[in-house]
Amino acid sequence: MSETQDRLPSAPGAGAAKSGAPAAPSEVPGRSALGFAAVALFVAAANLRPAIAAVSPLVDRIRDDLGLSATGAALLTTIPTLAMGLCAPLAASVGRRWGLFRGVLIGLFIVGAATAARGLGHSTWLQLSCAAVVGAGIAVAQTLLPAIVKTRFADRAGLVTGIYTAGLGLGGAVAAGVSAPIADAFDSWPGALASWAVLAVAGIVLWSAAKKSLGLDHIDGPKGPATTGLPWRSRLAWRITALSAGNSALYYCELAWIAPLLHDDGGLSESKAGFMLTVMISIQVVAMLGVPALLGERADKRLGLALTTTLTAVGFLGFGFSPGTGTWLWILAMGIGHGGLFTLVLTLPVAASRDSAQAGRFSAMAFFVGYACAAVGPVMVGGLRDATGDYKLAFALLAAATALMLVPVARLSPQQIEKDQQTAG
């Protein structure tokens, strides 16, 4: 993504400005055009989590119908997550060949088609294949959307990044909350999974309608592979990557296993467990915007990172050992803690870099390693659930892994960052 950021103009018409020629009136972004473009970005982002989040409240039905163990069921979350990381370099080729606008449109088409195909049957290979294709589509759209934020909203990047992140969170929250009732209404869990293709259609229609407002006709994607020049030897980059990897792994473990835990160990119905997951994710969305605002633009991020990490660890312990008692307390701890942590970790590549090129390299490295770790997490939880018969050990280990994130956090003082920047790639 660094090369995308370095080569893209800050707004449409920038090239004309550099050459001294005035931009055409149609190229000047109006407030209404920017608003419509932001809405299109929000809806596009909202399509990037339902295919994964919808599985969690339905996992017991899926296991019963397909004869899967908890480990096997976890593959429905793991495979798309792994595909997101492996297929991310594909986004560079798609964006380079077809441009940013059509690249995102292609990603949404892939997500919609693969999601709709989930309704064709109860076959394990069909569901896992569709999950992989969905992950590839998410990878294409998700990798290109930040470049669009920089291109179209250069002077509002913070606000629009918040809108984009909220779209990700809300898409997952709604899918987690209503997938079980949809399955009840259709008497079909494949039908419930496939129903999220409707949201993809809405995203495609709105994205197409916003073509003029987005103003991306002549903007290409990255000029080289996303894996070029990653700072593998930088201690600072590895600290950021460790936090990003932990952040991603914890997030997908929550999506995959909080609802089944509340159903199996907490005694809640599938619909109620899905609703509780929706509430937790909704709190996270608020925290994604609210916690950074409360902390302000301070250079030292350690206090905010430490507080939100600790809250997240408390939430995992509470869910693991007392899911039926104090449930709302754990929902609040996990919602505020991981919601705030999620955004603070996303800001680290920018906050800890000396320039936009280095920020891009930090982000790319964190992205690839992070999604690899995220793919392992849900399978690990499923394997421990199969081995022990409950979630206590798995969630205790998740709490311990969260606490270990405090180690790289402690090494992120402004002085240490400035020192490490000199040897970073």
Side-chain angles (χ1 to χ4, degrees):
M1 286 195 295
S2 61
E3 294 194 26
T4 305
Q5 294 169 338
D6 292 341
R7 295 171 184 263
L8 289 174
S10 61
K18 288 180 181 179
S19 63
S26 61
E27 294 179 325
V28 179
R31 183 169 297 180
S32 60
L34 286 173
F36 189 30
V39 170
L41 191 74
F42 175 88
V43 176
N47 275 280
L48 305 184
R49 291 299 178 268
I52 300 173
V55 172
S56 181
L58 303 174
V59 71
D60 286 334
R61 306 185 201 199
I62 295 172
R63 287 179 61 189
D64 290 343
D65 276 6
L66 301 183
L68 297 175
S69 64
T71 306
L75 292 176
L76 290 170
T77 299
T78 294
I79 286 178
T81 306
L82 185 60
M84 287 162 64
L86 294 177
C87 295
L90 177 65
S93 299
V94 172
R96 186 166 57 246
R97 183 176 179 85
W98 286 290
L100 291 176
F101 175 82
R102 284 183 289 179
V104 171
L105 199 59
I106 289 169
L108 292 176
F109 267 115
I110 294 172
V111 170
T115 300
R118 286 178 140 176
L120 297 178
H122 293 68
S123 167
T124 300
W125 73 264
L126 173 66
Q127 295 300 327
L128 293 178
S129 298
C130 289
V133 177
V134 163
I138 293 173
V140 172
Q142 181 168 292
T143 304
L144 296 179
L145 284 177
I148 292 172
V149 171
K150 182 172 178 63
T151 303
R152 195 67 174 95
F153 303 94
D155 56 344
R156 300 173 178 84
L159 172 63
V160 178
T161 298
I163 293 172
Y164 159 72
T165 305
L168 288 173
L170 284 176
V174 173
V178 305
S179 290
I182 291 175
D184 290 337
F186 291 163
D187 193 24
S188 168
W189 61 262
L193 294 179
S195 69
W196 294 104
V198 174
L199 181 61
V201 171
I204 290 167
V205 170
L206 189 58
W207 191 259
S208 300
K211 181 176 182 179
K212 184 175 180 181
S213 297
L214 287 162
L216 299 169
D217 286 348
H218 305 296
I219 308 297
D220 295 329
K223 301 302 181 185
T227 52
T228 300
L230 297 185
W232 300 110
R233 297 183 179 181
S234 166
R235 290 175 294 180
L236 177 58
W238 274 111
R239 291 187 193 111
I240 294 172
T241 297
L243 290 172
S244 298
N247 190 40
S248 297
L250 296 176
Y251 176 75
Y252 286 103
C253 286
E254 292 164 21
L255 278 187
W257 292 114
I258 291 290
L261 177 148
L262 291 175
H263 174 59
D264 296 345
D265 294 358
L268 301 183
S269 66
E270 286 182 336
S271 296
K272 184 65 179 294
F275 170 75
M276 297 295 278
L277 178 60
T278 294
V279 171
M280 188 190 80
I281 298 174
S282 298
I283 295 172
Q284 287 179 343
V285 171
V286 175
M288 285 173 185
L289 299 172
V291 169
L294 288 174
L295 293 175
E297 295 295 331
R298 61 181 68 191
D300 194 340
K301 307 289 185 184
R302 289 178 298 172
L303 176 61
L305 287 166
L307 289 175
T308 53
T309 299
T310 301
L311 270 178
T312 304
V314 169
F316 276 117
L317 280 176
F319 277 125
F321 289 91
S322 185
T325 305
T327 307
W328 283 105
L329 181 60
W330 318 136
I331 291 285
L332 283 171
M334 191 77 81
I336 297 171
H338 202 190
L341 178 64
F342 194 92
T343 301
L344 291 175
V345 170
L346 287 181
T347 65
L348 283 177
V350 175
S353 58
R354 61 175 179 263
D355 53 41
S356 61
Q358 189 180 66
R361 290 191 290 273
F362 285 171
S363 296
M365 181 171 165
F367 180 84
F368 289 113
V369 176
Y371 278 115
C373 292
V376 172
V379 174
M380 181 203 75
V381 174
L384 290 172
R385 168 68 176 81
D386 286 337
T388 64
D390 59 36
Y391 294 92
K392 288 186 176 64
L393 178 58
F395 272 64
L397 290 176
L398 289 175
T402 306
L404 283 175
M405 292 170 65
L406 293 171
V407 175
V409 166
R411 299 285 292 173
L412 289 176
S413 68
Q415 296 78 13
Q416 185 66 48
I417 288 173
E418 184 176 358
K419 178 181 177 181
D420 290 341
Q421 280 175 347
Q422 306 309 315
T423 58

